Every structure is written in C-alpha cells, then in structure tokens.
Amino acid sequence: MRTVALTYTAPRQAELREWPQPAMSDAMVRVRTLFSGLSRGTERLIFEGRVPESEHDIMRAPFQQGDFPFPVAYGYAAVSLVEEGPDDLVGRQIFSLSPHQEQACLPVDAVLPLPADVPASRAILAANMETAVNAIWDASPKPGSRVAIVGAGLLGCLIAGLLSARGDLSVSVVDVLPQRSATLSDFHVSFISTTERMDPVETVFHTSASDAGLQTAIEMLAFEGQVIELSWFGSRMVSLDLGGAFHSKRLTIKGSQVGQVAKVRRASTTYRDRLAQAIGHLSDPRFDALITEEVAFENLPAELPRLLGEGAAGIATRIRY
C-alpha cells in the first residue's frame, strides 16, 4: 500500500508525494483520513528547516516518514475512519498521531476511538489538548492561586479553556492582539492587553514563542512564582533580562514538553491515558471557536506559506480530505 502525504522538501517548500505504508496484519488497522490539524508552531520550524540537528530524533513524530531536515512527511493530529481491522474498530472514527496523508496502516494500539460526543471535525485539536493537559499537570496550580497565559494562540487558548473550568482559580490571558478576546468570550477568563498592568500571579504559562512574551511572563510573577515554558524556539537563540528581581523573587522557568508525562502523573498515567483524557475534554463545543480555517488537502502545499507565515491570521487550521 502507498499513500499520498504532505511532504516538506526544502526550506519553505512542500508537495504532495507518495510514501509506502506497512503491510497489514491482524494487529493493525487501515484507515482513511477525514481531517487533520496543522500545528503552526512546530510545523513552521520544519517548513523553514529550523529543527536543530541535535533534536532530530526527539522531534521525530510517531509515524513520520523521511528524516530531518528534508524530505519529511510530518504531522501528529489525524482523525480517520477505520476501513479494515478488528471488527470492533471497523467503521469507527479514531484519532492517531499520524502525518497529513490520505490513508494509513497503523498498529491497533496506536489509535484511539472517538467518544460519541467528540466530533471528528473537533478532534483534530487532541494533540494540542494533550500538551495543554500535560502543562497544567506540570504547573499543578494550587487552589485559590492566580494564573496567567501569555499568548492566545491555540495552545494558550486550550490551557485557558481547561483552567477556566476550575472555579478556585483566577485566570487571565495576555496577548498583543486584542481581537483574541472574542475567541475566549465563552470562557470565564479575563483578557489583558500587553499595555495593561495586572497584579502579580503565581503561575504563567508562556506560549507566544517570542523573547518579548517570555520576558513579559517573567515580569508578571509574584514571589517564588513559576513560568511554564511551552514555546519551542528551534535553533533560534532567546534573549532575556534575568537581572532585576529574578533572583531576589526566587523565580523559576520550567520547561514543559509533551514527550514525557508530567512528573506528578508519570507513575500512574500512561501516554494513552493522557491522550484519552485530552480527547475527552473536546466534548466541549466551545472549543470549535479555536478552529478558524479549513483547507482542502489537495491545496495544502500552495497554502502553507500563508498558513505558516509569521503573524498568520486565525488560530487553528483544519485540513479536509
């Protein structure tokens, strides 16, 4: 079996290319992709050829084809229909960490059936939701604490949505784009522009992938506060001012990365458990507001320079097959 997949071929170049798929066995399913989600932050670095050589193995997606830097078929947010496999899965809609491709042959234990209340069109957010869940576990905000998110992109909005369900927290979102406040209007959070001042907070989730955003996050912290850093800068250096009150206030910058289950849950939670929890959170229809554009798979190579450009409009892009 062969399948057509989006393939990054050179800096800022991509095409649809055929790739082989593994042979079917009793422990596999053959699926036809319905939708996939474009991960702007990560796939922008791949599209631009900015994955550091030291991170080639760590950055490898579970079902990636090819090797960094190019050519590579990448992606990890696919929702598909099972067409062949065990009887209890045939005809079911499933989520998998698969590239942007028309079909796939996957191990049975690599697919998760969607709950009845999670539509395929929304389930493309599952991989990003898993990152959000893991980050909140890493932060473990205490009851009654003040929390902020710097960067109202997809990941920042997902974190805000999850935290807003906790009535014991005060949650604020900071972004340079005031129009992002409308995206979060259905969630119980406060939207703060970067020109406004706010009281110090105990935890800041930083998702803006910018030096200025990370500096803002640090400056928002109360005594012994923590920044949960979720941006991935690739090969780009980051410039910060760690003078001033950084040491006297005993501040912490903590990296959160979805490749490992957060330490507080690692002994009791598997990767599959975590992904199942993330998918379950997507039963909330308010998250549909984060999907701001849909693009046909056949048009994807031509649309990528716009979709992955710096300052691209919108939040999440859904790819329709």
Side-chain angles (χ1 to χ4, degrees):
M1 175 180 165
R2 299 179 69 82
T3 190
V4 176
L6 175 73
T7 305
Y8 297 101
T9 57
R12 299 192 62 76
Q13 295 182 36
E15 63 184 44
L16 300 182
R17 180 180 292 189
E18 279 198 349
W19 290 87
Q21 290 290 287
M24 278 289 292
S25 72
D26 291 342
M28 300 186 77
V29 292
R30 180 174 58 80
V31 303
R32 174 170 53 84
T33 309
L34 303 173
F35 302 102
S36 63
L38 187 68
S39 179
R40 285 190 178 182
T42 303
E43 295 196 57
R44 178 181 292 132
L45 294 176
I46 294 166
F47 186 47
E48 295 176 351
R50 293 197 288 121
V51 178
E53 187 173 351
S54 62
E55 303 300 302
H56 282 188
D57 289 339
I58 293 173
M59 277 289 295
R60 190 172 184 88
F63 298 104
Q64 170 182 322
Q65 299 210 72
D67 299 302
F68 295 122
F70 304 105
V72 61
Y74 196 82
Y76 48 75
V79 180
S80 308
L81 181 69
V82 178
E83 296 189 323
E84 183 180 350
D87 290 343
D88 62 334
L89 287 176
V90 172
R92 297 285 302 274
Q93 293 178 346
I94 59 93
F95 178 85
S96 67
L97 299 169
S98 300
H100 307 292
Q101 59 190 44
E102 293 180 332
Q103 298 180 77
C105 290
L106 302 168
V108 169
D109 60 6
V111 306
L112 272 170
L114 300 187
D117 57 355
V118 177
S121 57
R122 190 187 308 144
I124 62 158
L125 302 176
N128 301 91
M129 180 63 88
E130 187 178 20
T131 303
V133 167
N134 207 54
I136 292 171
W137 290 348
D138 273 324
S140 298
K142 296 178 181 179
S145 62
R146 295 158 298 178
V147 178
I149 299 103
V150 174
L154 176 56
L155 184 53
C157 288
L158 288 171
I159 293 171
L162 292 179
L163 291 176
S164 71
R166 281 188 54 175
D168 61 325
L169 299 177
S170 172
V171 183
S172 301
V173 179
V174 179
D175 198 274
V176 295
L177 299 174
Q179 60 267 35
R180 290 286 169 88
S181 62
T183 305
L184 293 164
S185 60
D186 289 337
F187 295 98
H188 301 295
V189 299
S190 300
F191 186 87
I192 310 293
S193 75
T194 52
T195 60
E196 297 179 66
R197 295 189 63 83
M198 59 182 291
D199 292 334
V201 300
E202 286 75 31
T203 296
V204 180
F205 295 87
H206 176 237
T207 69
S208 79
S210 70
D211 300 27
L214 181 52
Q215 191 69 53
T216 296
I218 292 169
E219 292 170 359
M220 294 172 66
L221 291 175
F223 180 72
E224 293 192 336
Q226 61 176 345
V227 172
I228 305 299
E229 177 55 81
L230 289 133
S231 302
W232 200 72
F233 293 90
S235 58
R236 184 167 68 79
M237 300 293 288
V238 177
S239 178
L240 293 176
D241 178 7
L242 297 182
F246 183 81
H247 292 284
S248 63
K249 290 173 69 175
R250 296 174 55 84
L251 305 181
T252 300
I253 302 173
K254 181 177 183 179
S256 180
Q257 205 274 341
V258 76
Q260 296 289 335
V261 175
K263 187 176 181 179
V264 295
R265 299 291 184 99
R266 200 172 297 159
S268 60
T269 306
T270 67
Y271 290 102
R272 189 176 180 87
D273 293 337
R274 185 181 63 185
L275 182 56
Q277 286 194 39
I279 293 173
H281 286 304
L282 292 171
S283 62
D284 188 337
R286 293 179 296 178
F287 288 117
D288 281 334
L290 306 185
I291 302 172
T292 52
E293 184 172 5
E294 184 175 277
V295 173
F297 175 65
E298 58 266 27
N299 297 333
L300 190 54
E303 296 285 358
L304 279 180
R306 175 181 64 84
L307 295 171
L308 297 180
E310 291 291 341
I315 299 179
T317 300
R318 180 170 58 220
I319 301 159
R320 181 183 72 255
Y321 292 76

